[in-house]
Amino acid sequence: MPIHPSISTLIAGALLLSACSRTEQVEVTSQDISRIEQSLTHGSELSWELAQTESRVASMCMQDLGFTIQHPFALNGGMVPDRFEGFASPYSKIPNVEQAESFGFGIWLYYTDTDSANEVAESPEYIAFAADELGWQDPSESKAIEEWAASDDAYQREWLESFMGAERLAFEENLQNESTNGLAFSESAEFSGCELKSIEAVYGEPRYIQTESGGVWSRPSIESPLTWVSDGDLYSQFSEVYAEEERDFLDCIERAGYGQWEFDEFGYLPIAAELSQLYEGASESSTLSNIQRFADAGTPEELKELEFALALDFSRCAEASGLRGAPEDAWARMYVEYLLPREVEVYAWEEQVNEYLANAQKFLQDPSDGSLFTFL
């Protein structure tokens, strides 16, 4: 685990920074960025490990009841933690020249099932580039989905009732219907069955939260501190600093023959949406002015070649306009400006996730400890 300053020092520093932030801008150093980035990276990795371990705890409970096929997503509440591999501005999603030459934009990978495509998709370079989109992946997930889909309705119903209890299952189904019909709920059903037992094993107990709509039972939150910062708000400030570079980039790709593009409110370009339409056979696009030469490409391989050419042109325009290098450091500093006054909470989050993980691992090593599954 990363080594942090003492908690008392952090609290004092956090209070001081919090007070200063009301009157003057926090000065962010490279050491601040490195320290917080390390904690967020470690915490996100722990969160993913926790999700997997919690699933194993819940699966053990269901296996004790005789269920050999498990719901692929319900075991840990369907929560897939965000993947964090370092601060990266929206501009980083435009591939650099090396990335463009190696995997284009990566859209072709979703429409190609070959050994070479799978090799690229599993490469560390591509995963680092597409981390936000890919999230975390469990190699066994596909098999679990297939097995669950192959089980009959009666088995699935019995599994759900045993996992969450008949009352909570009925509540969840009613809630889904109410949500569809625009209705509000008043009181949620308590956790039960193996879902409750796994929550108790990992988190101690579920939480009850009183809201304006009523009471809600929920799992303890392990929400990443990254959610404390709105990427949209951050980008609105960021784009003011790099307005000239953005304009030069957009002019560059228009001159290259790709029409008029725009960054959205989060700083991203609609590349995936546009190229996906092409692979799926669309004949028109609101963005690409040279759509006809893409639409006329008759094979996936030809479309792939055009995607690589497009990615290379975008990467060259990004370099020529100045959207490389300096913006990445500036984005990290702006992000940490928001997080630095709450630095002690960042570390507390990391430690809390680690404690939950330790609980789950301890239980898996000795499930008889506490006799959590003796409720049958």
Side-chain angles (χ1 to χ4, degrees):
M1 172 180 280
I3 299 175
H4 304 308
S6 69
I7 293 297
S8 60
T9 301
L10 284 173
I11 293 175
L15 293 174
L16 178 60
L17 285 169
S18 183
C20 291
S21 65
R22 291 191 290 267
T23 58
E24 60 184 45
Q25 189 175 15
V26 176
E27 183 67 29
V28 176
T29 68
S30 58
Q31 289 79 14
D32 294 328
I33 296 173
S34 177
R35 191 173 61 250
I36 290 181
E37 188 174 60
Q38 182 184 27
S39 185
L40 290 171
T41 302
H42 186 240
S44 70
E45 292 171 349
L46 290 174
S47 295
W48 171 238
E49 189 176 350
L50 172 61
Q52 293 179 301
T53 308
E54 183 183 348
S55 292
R56 289 196 289 273
V57 171
S59 178
M60 182 186 298
C61 178
M62 295 300 290
Q63 288 173 22
D64 286 349
L65 294 178
F67 293 94
T68 57
I69 298 174
Q70 314 302 338
H71 191 293
F73 306 115
L75 292 173
N76 62 5
M79 299 299 294
V80 179
D82 291 333
R83 189 186 191 107
F84 179 78
E85 294 190 338
F87 297 108
S89 82
Y91 307 146
S92 69
K93 291 309 172 186
I94 304 170
N96 58 37
V97 171
E98 182 181 355
Q99 291 168 335
E101 292 175 340
S102 298
F103 47 74
F105 287 116
I107 308 303
W108 63 280
L109 295 171
Y110 296 95
Y111 298 91
T112 308
D113 186 16
T114 64
D115 291 341
S116 60
N118 293 332
E119 184 178 345
V120 171
E122 295 171 1
S123 68
E125 294 78 14
Y126 177 71
I127 291 175
F129 171 73
D132 291 342
E133 289 76 20
L134 290 176
W136 298 98
Q137 294 181 319
D138 185 345
S140 65
E141 185 176 285
S142 296
K143 181 180 179 181
I145 293 173
E146 292 175 2
E147 290 180 340
W148 179 260
S151 63
D152 58 42
D153 292 343
Y155 178 91
Q156 293 182 7
R157 184 73 185 183
E158 186 179 358
W159 190 99
L160 290 170
E161 288 185 352
S162 297
F163 180 69
M164 63 179 64
E167 183 179 350
R168 187 166 180 85
L169 175 59
F171 166 78
E172 292 289 346
E173 291 174 337
N174 290 336
L175 181 60
Q176 184 175 7
N177 293 334
E178 289 175 357
S179 177
T180 303
N181 297 326
L183 301 175
F185 66 91
S186 58
E187 188 78 15
S188 72
E190 295 185 36
F191 288 98
S192 183
C194 280
E195 185 173 26
L196 174 61
K197 297 304 176 181
S198 61
I199 289 174
E200 291 175 339
V202 178
Y203 302 104
E205 61 182 1
R207 291 180 178 175
Y208 182 79
I209 303 173
Q210 189 67 45
T211 70
E212 294 181 357
S213 301
V216 179
W217 285 97
S218 71
R219 294 166 175 269
S221 172
I222 53 173
E223 184 180 54
S224 168
L226 291 170
T227 61
W228 304 344
V229 181
S230 167
D231 284 357
D233 291 342
L234 195 62
Y235 173 69
S236 67
Q237 302 173 44
F238 189 68
S239 61
E240 292 179 4
V241 179
Y242 289 96
E244 183 176 348
E245 287 83 355
E246 283 191 6
R247 186 167 53 252
D248 290 345
F249 169 79
L250 296 175
D251 288 345
C252 180
I253 59 176
E254 185 174 6
R255 288 194 303 271
Y258 299 111
Q260 296 181 345
W261 290 67
E262 291 183 356
F263 291 96
D264 67 16
E265 61 182 322
F266 296 100
Y268 296 104
L269 296 164
I271 295 169
E274 294 293 340
L275 291 182
S276 294
Q277 289 183 57
L278 298 175
Y279 283 104
E280 291 166 4
S283 60
E284 297 180 356
S285 171
S286 61
T287 301
L288 291 175
S289 62
N290 61 345
I291 184 66
Q292 195 57 46
R293 73 183 182 93
F294 277 80
D296 287 345
T299 67
E301 189 61 32
E302 289 175 316
L303 283 173
K304 174 186 170 183
E305 291 178 5
L306 290 169
E307 177 187 329
F308 272 65
L310 180 67
L312 190 57
D313 284 339
F314 271 52
S315 66
R316 288 169 175 164
C317 284
E319 288 195 357
S321 62
L323 293 185
R324 292 279 180 246
E328 297 309 307
D329 182 66
W331 178 264
R333 289 180 182 277
M334 290 182 70
Y335 223 112
V336 173
E337 279 182 14
Y338 280 83
L339 295 176
L340 197 56
R342 301 178 65 177
E343 184 175 9
V344 66
E345 296 176 66
V346 175
Y347 301 145
W349 161 79
E350 179 188 2
E351 292 177 2
Q352 182 64 81
V353 175
N354 197 35
E355 288 179 13
Y356 289 148
L357 177 59
N359 291 343
Q361 291 173 332
K362 180 181 179 181
F363 178 80
L364 288 175
Q365 291 171 359
D366 186 10
S368 63
D369 184 20
S371 302
L372 288 174
F373 296 164
T374 58
F375 61 98
L376 303 179

